[in-house]
Amino acid sequence: MESVTIQFDKESSIPMYIQLSKHIGMLIKEGKYNENEKLPTIRKLAASINVNNVTVVNAYKNLERKGYIKSMVGSGYYVTYKEHDVITTSEEEDDSFLEYDNINLMSKGQLKVCKNTINFASANPDPSQFPVEDFKRAINEVLDRDKGLAFGYQESKGYKPLRSSFTQFLKKYMDVEVAPEDLQIVSGAQQGIDIISKALINPEDYVITENPTYTGALSVFKGRGANIIGVDVNIRGINLSDLERKIVTYNPKLIYVMTKFQNPTTISYSQDTLEKLLDLANKYNVYIVEDDSLSGLNYMQEDNKINLKALDKNNKVIYVKSFSKLLMPGLRIGFIAYPPEMQEQIIKAKHSTDISSSGLIQRAMQLYLDNGNLEKHVEFMKKIFKKKYDCMNTELKALRKYGVNFIAPRGGLHFWIKLPKGVNALELYSRCSQRDVLIVPCNIFYVNPLGAANNTIRLSFAAVDEEGIIKGLNILKKELIYLLKCDNEYSEVHEEATLSPMI
Amino acid sequence: MESVTIQFDKESSIPMYIQLSKHIGMLIKEGKYNENEKLPTIRKLAASINVNNVTVVNAYKNLERKGYIKSMVGSGYYVTYKEHDVITTSEEEDDSFLEYDNINLMSKGQLKVCKNTINFASANPDPSQFPVEDFKRAINEVLDRDKGLAFGYQESKGYKPLRSSFTQFLKKYMDVEVAPEDLQIVSGAQQGIDIISKALINPEDYVITENPTYTGALSVFKGRGANIIGVDVNIRGINLSDLERKIVTYNPKLIYVMTKFQNPTTISYSQDTLEKLLDLANKYNVYIVEDDSLSGLNYMQEDNKINLKALDKNNKVIYVKSFSKLLMPGLRIGFIAYPPEMQEQIIKAKHSTDISSSGLIQRAMQLYLDNGNLEKHVEFMKKIFKKKYDCMNTELKALRKYGVNFIAPRGGLHFWIKLPKGVNALELYSRCSQRDVLIVPCNIFYVNPLGAANNTIRLSFAAVDEEGIIKGLNILKKELIYLLKCDNEYSEVHEEATLSPMI
């Protein structure tokens, strides 16, 4: 048997445990280990390659999930690998994990979710609650009315009556006044961010984001070759003094924020922060992208519902609206409300991206909106979400005695949890996923995931019913208590864990 | 009145006549000319700023279309401008014209097509011939079967049964064997090109294209910051010796080609050229993107139907399939068949572009394909297209006596026409459009539109019926004869044209 020697790439966004897992996987594939051969113990390997025990534990678990190795009770890990046809497919899983939210991974089919999985990682509503019948009616009405035109090329900017409906929606719910000419229909908010980036960002430009932030946005900005600068968020929103300092230093092309129920921190900006943020945008003449997928899902009656865009007198805000959470993610329809001077760049970017969004879905969406169906549906979903929100809130409060810390959000679909000292989020994630409970460790949301503390997780209640919330959080509690016990003398306990993983 | 002095930007992709039109428009806007003031005569202005008379004619016509100036019979051009609210909107039209095919411009609503327009610029089939009822049935079947799941997030790679159906389609019609794992569903071929570019092209990379080529591809490559190198096409396909020389010189990231009924030249590659092109790809280890929207629309029974992808033994070809012409452009569903090693990059690029394509349309497309509907529809459309093809072919042959030159294509939806010496394509376009006949002047398809000869046009018969073809080509003939007459003593005749534009 060969000893493991590995050169870690510390600059890489791929965490060490994945790098190690890949490296060992490669050795096994190349036949450097024989079938049924015992792997080095965790402690021994960790010492020999100078990493934390946790790194080796996670690497081994990763290899076990992929069927390369197997843990034998009381004995350690053994090679099981014979021949995999599609090693690249399975290799890919964990790499992508670092790039995107779990939510998105779900959609890629790369996190295996079985029937009994309690999925706190997904922020997607239960498809059985989608308004399929209403939408089906709208689609059929469009097809009977417009026939072939519903399948012809559409204006790149979007179907005009839908743009008009969206301006009315903005006016009614958000007190935002925008002309239909200044709206661009997009195939979902992800495409909105991509198009804005194509229009505004050149390689080596600077972009400022909240830190942590939505991984899908980070991925787009990186893809454009931008340098991303993160700014912390606090209870009132983005840290304004740090932001100003960084605007002055980096002269960014844009600032990307989520002002309502920020992802993943669940923070909503105070009105004061919104106003001061706009002052900075005006002072330094920089655009702000306001990504809004959750406003409307407020659970507190008295809440301030003002968005940044509503306060934007000088056309500094590019507002991106998603309906994936409010309505259905598979629609792939959202919009951008942009400053008028940006029209040409935005249309060009949309056009070279995919020419236009589906005309059929745009037309059906317009009927659906104009019939008042969206309003009805959001009210319906809010009642469901509020119950689940209350349930999760109650359960999580009961975990405070173990050192778990969180601020109950005022709406949205997530809770953001700070774990007690000594409990590693990646490890909690790994243990929970083995018991079919999925959570999101929040280091992936940071501009620099490797530099981020591994002590926060995000739990979503969108895809889990109340029974599941109680059951899932009970499992999480047990794993948490187990990891708390392991703390201080982690490595010894952990080696024994293969003997009796349950407590 | 001020005299016009203008500094042309000869590096710009904006043609001189647009630059001039913008400049004069600005002078008018700024009040440098008074209302009803007479503009310099065409000859005088052309001489004073040292440009061709045609440039001034086109600039004036452009301003006239926008309502800035007006031609008075027998007298010249006069300022009519008072105050325009939306000067940028109208300004934009002509800029964009340089960026995209007319086809695409249509979809942007930026070329005004009225009811009587004879549209040889659009390559889109008549929406009244779309198989709306069959597709409606498929959609309803999907909604009844899958309910909310049809509106949930889909796997980024695409709905698996649809990927399987596409592999069968490839096998059956093109003798291409690809695993469903190596297919990526995209929202149309334009998105396919965008995603491939995101996966492979970094700023300053080199990309080789046929010259002329599809403007939507040029736009994407430019958007990624690539340097584009054009290679001529001849009757057998891309010029192989020039291609090899340029591969050696520039070491390109990819070569972008259309091997069947190339756009705009309508050339189909000979099998020998296909094979030698692959040899070059293998020899120099460079990927080829084969963009295929028209194969299947062959009008010659005996034709070789082999695509490049079918000959690709070493995974050098990335095949992009559009169904916009074969089926319906508004579906926004196509696919990429890529070399297996590219999987991770392609999925990441798709994911950060728009997460996934519409699940509903993907599912409906799968049913539609599996029911054999596509095959039926293509046969139906081929019959229609063939009649129109024959009609246009006959009419165009009759123009040969005026010096018009073309090679009848073996399929597809276009004719590519070389104009007689002395007839400028932009001017013919301009004259025809004033008589409600739209054609595409082909300089826009060149990597360097300003350096391209203005002597070719593209005529599509997809959107025009036989009556329209005859009527439209009759108008084109008259304008052609007029321009031929003007040749040699162009400028004098043209000044008088304001007196009696018709012959």
Side-chain angles (χ1 to χ4, degrees), chain B residues 344-372:
Chain B
E344 189 172 334
Q345 294 145 280
I346 294 283
I347 293 185
K348 275 190 185 176
K350 169 65 179 175
H351 195 66
S352 80
T353 296
D354 67 353
I355 301 181
S356 73
S357 296
S358 160
L360 174 63
I361 305 292
Q362 287 189 68
R363 284 159 199 253
M365 181 79 166
Q366 186 256 326
L367 274 189
Y368 183 86
L369 276 173
D370 286 7
N371 290 341

Side-chain angles (χ1 to χ4, degrees), chain A residues 2-178:
Chain A
E2 260 189 46
S3 68
V4 178
T5 52
I6 173 170
Q7 196 70 45
F8 287 105
D9 177 1
K10 304 208 171 185
E11 298 293 302
S12 166
S13 68
I14 301 171
M16 302 225 291
Y17 86 94
I18 299 275
Q19 293 186 41
L20 180 58
S21 154
K22 280 196 161 184
H23 179 74
I24 298 172
M26 201 51 73
L27 292 177
I28 294 173
K29 243 187 103 185
E30 289 167 355
K32 302 283 165 65
Y33 290 107
N34 298 320
E35 212 190 330
N36 296 324
E37 189 171 342
K38 189 174 188 290
L39 288 162
T41 64
I42 288 160
R43 231 176 319 180
K44 197 173 148 190
L45 178 54
S48 82
I49 58 175
N50 197 23
V51 297
N52 206 309
N53 288 338
V54 189
T55 305
V56 179
V57 171
N58 283 326
Y60 278 4
K61 287 198 171 140
N62 197 32
L63 288 163
E64 192 176 15
R65 273 200 299 277
K66 290 177 182 176
Y68 281 70
I69 66 175
K70 214 180 128 174
S71 78
M72 304 281 273
V73 176
S75 168
Y77 284 93
Y78 291 81
V79 176
T80 55
Y81 175 83
K82 279 179 192 157
E83 203 173 319
H84 282 34
D85 324 300
V86 283
I87 189 162
T88 48
T89 312
S90 49
E91 284 293 338
E92 174 201 341
E93 285 180 30
D94 290 282
D95 291 2
S96 313
F97 182 75
L98 272 291
E99 294 289 331
Y100 307 111
D101 287 24
N102 255 11
I103 317 160
N104 300 338
L105 273 181
M106 298 296 147
S107 78
K108 294 167 78 181
Q110 288 178 353
L111 275 186
K112 304 301 171 227
V113 183
C114 68
K115 218 180 159 187
N116 297 320
T117 300
I118 297 174
N119 192 346
F120 294 133
S122 165
N124 293 324
D126 179 349
S128 73
Q129 286 152 356
F130 291 164
V132 176
E133 282 307 314
D134 285 343
F135 222 85
K136 182 179 165 190
R137 208 171 305 120
I139 286 174
N140 280 295
E141 198 177 326
V142 166
L143 288 174
D144 292 341
R145 183 192 68 193
D146 300 343
K147 301 193 176 64
L149 293 177
F151 290 116
Y153 270 127
Q154 306 297 314
E155 213 184 327
S156 280
K157 196 185 260 192
Y159 181 58
K160 202 173 170 192
L162 178 61
R163 286 189 277 121
S164 295
S165 300
F166 278 145
T167 58
Q168 286 155 27
F169 170 90
L170 279 174
K171 179 69 195 147
K172 184 166 176 190
Y173 295 104
M174 282 171 239
D175 203 26
V176 170
E177 299 224 32
V178 178

Side-chain angles (χ1 to χ4, degrees), chain B residues 414-428:
Chain B
H414 314 296
F415 282 77
W416 191 52
I417 317 289
K418 193 169 171 191
L419 298 173
K421 193 171 166 298
V423 176
N424 181 294
L426 275 176
E427 205 169 359
L428 184 62

Side-chain angles (χ1 to χ4, degrees), chain A residues 107 136 144 151 155 198 330, chain B residues 107 136 144 151 155 194 330:
Chain A
S107 78
K136 182 179 165 190
D144 292 341
F151 290 116
E155 213 184 327
K198 279 178 177 150
Chain B
S107 79
K136 183 179 165 191
D144 292 341
F151 290 116
E155 214 184 326
D194 186 44

Side-chain angles (χ1 to χ4, degrees), chain A residues 197-303:
Chain A
S197 300
K198 279 178 177 150
L200 297 183
I201 302 177
N202 293 312
E204 301 306 325
D205 281 346
Y206 283 87
V207 168
I208 290 180
T209 70
E210 295 151 333
N211 198 28
T213 188
Y214 171 51
T215 52
L218 291 177
S219 162
V220 171
F221 301 145
K222 278 183 205 152
R224 290 294 302 171
N227 297 302
I228 304 169
I229 306 296
V231 173
D232 291 346
V233 289
N234 57 42
I235 185 74
R236 292 172 304 280
I238 199 163
N239 180 328
L240 290 163
S241 55
D242 191 36
L243 175 63
E244 180 161 16
R245 198 177 57 78
K246 285 172 174 164
I247 292 175
V248 171
T249 309
Y250 296 107
N251 186 24
K253 271 290 173 69
L254 58 86
I255 302 167
Y256 171 82
V257 296
M258 290 163 277
T259 61
K260 292 284 178 209
F261 322 124
Q262 201 264 356
N263 182 15
T265 67
T266 74
I267 290 295
S268 290
Y269 282 43
S270 69
Q271 178 142 0
D272 184 56
T273 303
L274 291 177
E275 284 165 1
K276 286 182 174 148
L277 174 56
L278 269 180
D279 289 345
L280 289 179
N282 289 320
K283 183 174 172 189
Y284 295 104
N285 195 25
V286 54
Y287 288 118
I288 303 179
V289 176
E290 182 182 35
D291 184 357
D292 178 13
S293 59
L294 293 171
S295 78
L297 295 180
N298 304 60
Y299 308 133
M300 316 285 167
Q301 283 307 327
E302 78 290 1
D303 257 18

